Amino acid sequence: MTEPTPTAKLAAQGILARARWHPLEFVFWIAAFSAIWLLPNKHLILTEIAWLALFALSLDLILGYAGILSLGHAAFFGVGSYAAALLAKHGIITEPVLALVAAGLIAAVVGFATSFLMLRGADLTRLMVSLGVALVLRELANKFSDLTGGADGLQGVTMEPILGRFRFDMFGHNGFAYCLIVLFVLFLAARRLMASPFGLALLSVKGNPLRARAIGINVDARLVTIYTIAAFYAGVAGGLLAQTTAFSSLDVFSFDRSADLLLVLIIGGTGYLYGGLIGAVIFKVMQDYLAVLTPQYWPFWIGLVLVVLVMVGRDRMLRWTEPVRTLANRLDWRAKGQGQAS
Amino acid sequence: MTVALETTNLVKQFGGLTATDNVSIQFEAGARHALIGPNGAGKTTLINLLTGMLKPTSGRIILNGVDITDASPQRRVRLGMVRTFQINQLFPDLTPLETVGLAISERRGDGADFWRVAGTKPGLNQEIADILDRFRLADVMNAKTSILPYGKQRLLEIAVAIACKPKVLLLDEPAAGVPDEERHEILSSIAALPKDVTVVLIEHDMDIVFAFSERISVLVNGGVFTEGPAAEVARDPRVKAVYLGESLDA
């Protein structure tokens, strides 16, 4: 074996940059887990933050890494939520962790089936298709009210203890620890995924699908894969909501939920995995705090903060405008492509 | 000589406009073959048809004996035909290191690995390093592609294609927009390609065309106007007329 050249040694280091842990990441997770002991009377809202963070992470996988803009991501959240609630209610899978995995897999199947609709067309098409899928699923859930409880929601769900040992208590202590561990495990998986050749290929597809094809990347296959994975994540997030509240209702599919999710991710920033997590913390804390101050007008403040942050935070602004810039770039190269053909 | 790439009666119409008009052309294995023609002659459309970026209206494309007329762009790359672009088509969020590494991984069939950290396959880093060294990109290997100077981006544009180890390489104006002092880097990298690689060059700059190519096809209005050894085409008064007419119009 010959000795690697100096450039090869540098390359070996440089290529691992994405896989390397930043010190702040340790701080983040230590802070998150210490909340189990330090903030015991906040566990109910922290539970909401945890599943919302996972849901936003799911959107980041497709928006931040593959450039797929979706306004119907609640479709998979909803499927996961109903799946988890139904599995528990009918005693099909009573152990919550197994049921959660099953809920994620069911959402992934729906994600896989609808991913092919997301391959066609540009961003606006995808936006509308994703919106449509969520609406259709919501109406299906409404229609089959024998199964889903319709507009009243799915009542009478009783949750068994996690792993047969940890009961969902009314203060949400175990529920929060459960959600946080699920979030952490799935975050680690996402992090690993995005540091792989597959993750790099996704970024290349997002940056320039034309060239990605020109170096032999099967763009459609990559998009189908990540969309399916993201649907799994969203399904698990929905499952966590259903399990921690022992309830599921039609609003899991609502347009508001998808739109809020986009807001959460945009507040936190796309394409570095922590955006959804940080955005979920900010969004929920603000919602909680502002709802106390001005119960009816809290969305006003969220909107105001969003506008101010975008106008003032120059550095972060680049991240927020990324979907828009991606759209602009893509329209740009399409226009150029047309020009070249002449 | 064996034929590496050929088209038979290739036609592409955009509505009423015929961009490629019944083109039957053969590129021999190991050839250094230039495609020239005035603006709007259909050179880039032809490249887009060959690489599968566009679907032909009619006609066939054969690559090393395989009919690839209906093959996807990525399949054509796997079969050994790779292109570069007239306007840089790079990955703004990736570094040159990652870009070249990705192209190599795809070629080796490791590109879909999702549970292995990128860059941990044996031999990969050395291969990346060799290409980065060759294209003088080693000093910027960890910088985001979007912030690289144009000349470096242009080198990367070609380095990525080379990383795919093409059997047939289509170069669409490789030196376009590159300042004179950096031009020779790109041209020498093309000149250093292995002899068994078929190189098809689209170029406006006649100095580059005559320095590089052994054979020239002239496209005019979407069709093959004339074709022959470089020296013959250079002397052809009709070819001069086509180009002079073009420059007078411009």
Side-chain angles (χ1 to χ4, degrees):
Chain A
M1 190 105 189
T2 49
E3 179 73 3
T5 59
T7 313
K9 284 179 189 158
L10 287 174
Q13 291 205 332
I15 204 149
L16 295 175
R18 276 179 207 275
R20 219 167 279 132
W21 280 75
H22 191 277
L24 280 178
E25 297 186 72
F26 293 106
V27 175
F28 180 91
W29 287 107
I30 289 168
F33 276 97
S34 59
I36 294 177
W37 296 277
L38 297 182
L39 296 170
N41 52 359
K42 293 279 182 200
H43 279 174
L44 288 174
I45 185 175
L46 285 171
T47 303
E48 287 186 33
I49 290 175
W51 62 249
L52 181 61
L54 181 61
F55 190 23
L57 173 63
S58 158
L59 184 64
D60 198 15
L61 292 182
I62 60 165
L63 179 59
Y65 286 86
I68 303 173
L69 206 48
S70 166
L71 258 183
H73 213 50
F76 311 119
F77 183 86
V79 168
S81 170
Y82 272 104
L86 286 168
L87 289 173
K89 181 175 176 176
H90 299 290
I92 302 164
I93 302 177
T94 52
E95 199 288 308
V97 178
L98 281 180
L100 192 66
V101 173
L105 289 176
I106 291 166
V109 170
V110 177
F112 178 76
T114 56
S115 67
F116 296 93
L117 303 170
M118 298 296 279
L119 295 176
R120 307 279 157 255
D123 287 323
L124 188 62
T125 322
R126 288 172 169 173
L127 214 61
M128 289 304 122
V129 167
S130 62
L131 187 58
V133 168
L135 288 174
V136 166
L137 287 174
R138 183 185 186 281
E139 277 318 304
L140 282 175
N142 193 19
K143 181 92 180 150
F144 291 97
S145 53
D146 291 349
L147 185 68
T148 62
D152 298 331
L154 191 67
Q155 316 266 358
V157 178
T158 45
M159 295 306 302
E160 295 296 313
I162 303 157
L163 302 173
R165 281 193 59 188
F166 305 99
R167 201 158 282 286
F168 285 100
D169 56 284
M170 65 176 290
F171 305 104
H173 300 317
N174 285 341
F176 172 59
Y178 172 55
C179 287
L180 188 60
I181 289 167
V182 170
L183 173 66
F184 183 58
V185 169
L186 287 184
F187 176 85
L188 289 180
R191 203 181 182 290
R192 178 88 192 207
L193 195 66
M194 290 312 165
S196 72
F198 173 82
L200 285 183
L202 278 181
L203 282 176
S204 78
V205 170
K206 180 192 172 201
N208 193 336
L210 177 72
R211 189 58 187 263
R213 284 197 177 88
I215 62 169
I217 293 174
N218 189 340
V219 170
D220 288 359
R222 299 294 152 82
L223 292 180
V224 166
T225 308
I226 193 62
Y227 202 71
T228 306
I229 292 171
F232 176 84
Y233 273 56
V236 170
L240 286 176
L241 168 64
Q243 292 184 336
T244 53
T245 56
F247 183 67
S248 188
S249 68
L250 289 180
D251 89 340
V252 288
F253 287 114
S254 74
F255 171 72
D256 284 7
R257 193 178 288 282
S258 296
D260 279 354
L261 184 71
L262 202 55
L263 205 65
V264 166
L265 186 58
I266 284 170
I267 288 174
T270 63
Y272 70 109
L273 293 179
Y274 283 93
L277 280 56
I278 293 167
V281 174
I282 297 174
F283 186 85
K284 277 288 174 192
V285 168
M286 261 175 38
Q287 187 182 33
D288 191 47
Y289 178 72
L290 294 170
V292 174
L293 284 184
T294 50
Q296 286 165 26
Y297 304 115
W298 80 266
F300 170 86
W301 296 107
I302 292 262
L304 188 71
V305 166
L306 194 67
V307 171
V308 169
L309 281 175
V310 171
M311 300 306 288
V312 177
R314 297 197 61 167
D315 208 11
R316 307 305 313 279
M317 187 168 82
L318 295 175
R319 274 210 177 106
W320 287 330
T321 54
E322 200 158 54
V324 181
R325 281 188 299 138
T326 314
L327 181 67
N329 287 340
R330 226 174 279 170
L331 291 174
D332 199 19
W333 75 249
R334 280 229 171 81
K336 278 176 190 157
Q338 296 291 321
Q340 279 180 47
S342 67
Chain B
M1 277 298 259
T2 51
V3 175
L5 176 64
E6 71 177 312
T7 70
T8 46
N9 306 108
L10 204 62
V11 175
K12 177 65 186 179
Q13 289 173 322
F14 296 103
L17 175 81
T18 305
T20 301
D21 189 3
N22 208 22
V23 169
S24 298
I25 201 166
Q26 293 190 333
F27 302 103
E28 286 176 353
R32 297 288 181 270
H33 195 137
L35 277 177
I36 65 171
N39 280 327
K43 303 183 295 290
T44 296
T45 303
L46 182 58
I47 293 283
N48 283 337
L49 290 171
L50 291 174
T51 53
M53 307 276 163
L54 290 171
K55 294 276 169 238
T57 311
S58 64
R60 311 306 295 172
I61 305 167
I62 315 284
L63 173 65
N64 291 321
V66 182
D67 188 327
I68 55 159
T69 313
D70 302 313
S72 65
Q74 64 267 17
R75 169 139 175 79
R76 296 177 202 218
V77 175
R78 299 231 160 123
L79 289 170
M81 179 164 59
V82 182
R83 70 171 295 185
T84 68
F85 292 82
Q86 188 181 349
I87 298 161
N88 286 341
Q89 299 290 346
L90 296 167
F91 309 124
D93 295 338
L94 301 187
T95 64
L97 175 62
E98 290 169 332
T99 307
V100 172
L102 184 61
I104 295 172
S105 295
E106 282 297 330
R107 193 196 74 224
R108 292 177 163 196
D110 303 332
D113 287 12
F114 57 87
W115 204 246
R116 184 173 52 73
V117 171
T120 51
K121 272 269 157 120
L124 175 68
N125 294 322
Q126 187 59 57
E127 195 176 342
I128 298 173
D130 290 343
I131 288 180
L132 291 176
D133 277 335
R134 213 163 113 200
F135 287 87
R136 293 162 208 268
L137 289 162
D139 52 332
V140 292
M141 67 163 111
N142 289 319
K144 264 195 177 188
T145 299
S146 55
I147 62 164
L148 292 182
Y150 183 81
K152 292 284 184 192
Q153 289 192 2
R154 203 65 198 148
L155 283 165
L156 181 58
E157 172 75 32
I158 296 166
V160 178
I162 302 297
C164 300
K165 279 218 178 130
K167 295 192 199 100
V168 176
L169 178 63
L170 310 174
L171 297 166
D172 195 351
E173 297 196 31
V178 178
D180 281 343
E181 57 269 26
E182 290 172 29
R183 212 159 240 247
H184 74 274
E185 280 190 9
I186 288 172
L187 297 178
S188 62
S189 71
I190 296 169
L193 290 170
K195 281 289 160 213
D196 57 332
V197 176
T198 309
V199 184
V200 178
L201 173 77
I202 291 186
E203 191 50 75
H204 267 304
D205 187 322
M206 287 302 132
D207 292 341
I208 297 178
V209 169
F210 291 122
F212 163 82
S213 51
E214 296 147 359
R215 202 170 175 80
I216 297 177
S217 298
V218 185
L219 286 183
V220 177
N221 293 329
V224 179
F225 180 72
T226 184
E227 190 191 312
E232 240 171 68
V233 173
R235 283 196 302 271
D236 191 330
R238 293 176 306 152
V239 173
K240 278 186 185 149
V242 168
Y243 268 89
L244 283 175
E246 161 80 9
S247 62
L248 284 176
D249 287 344

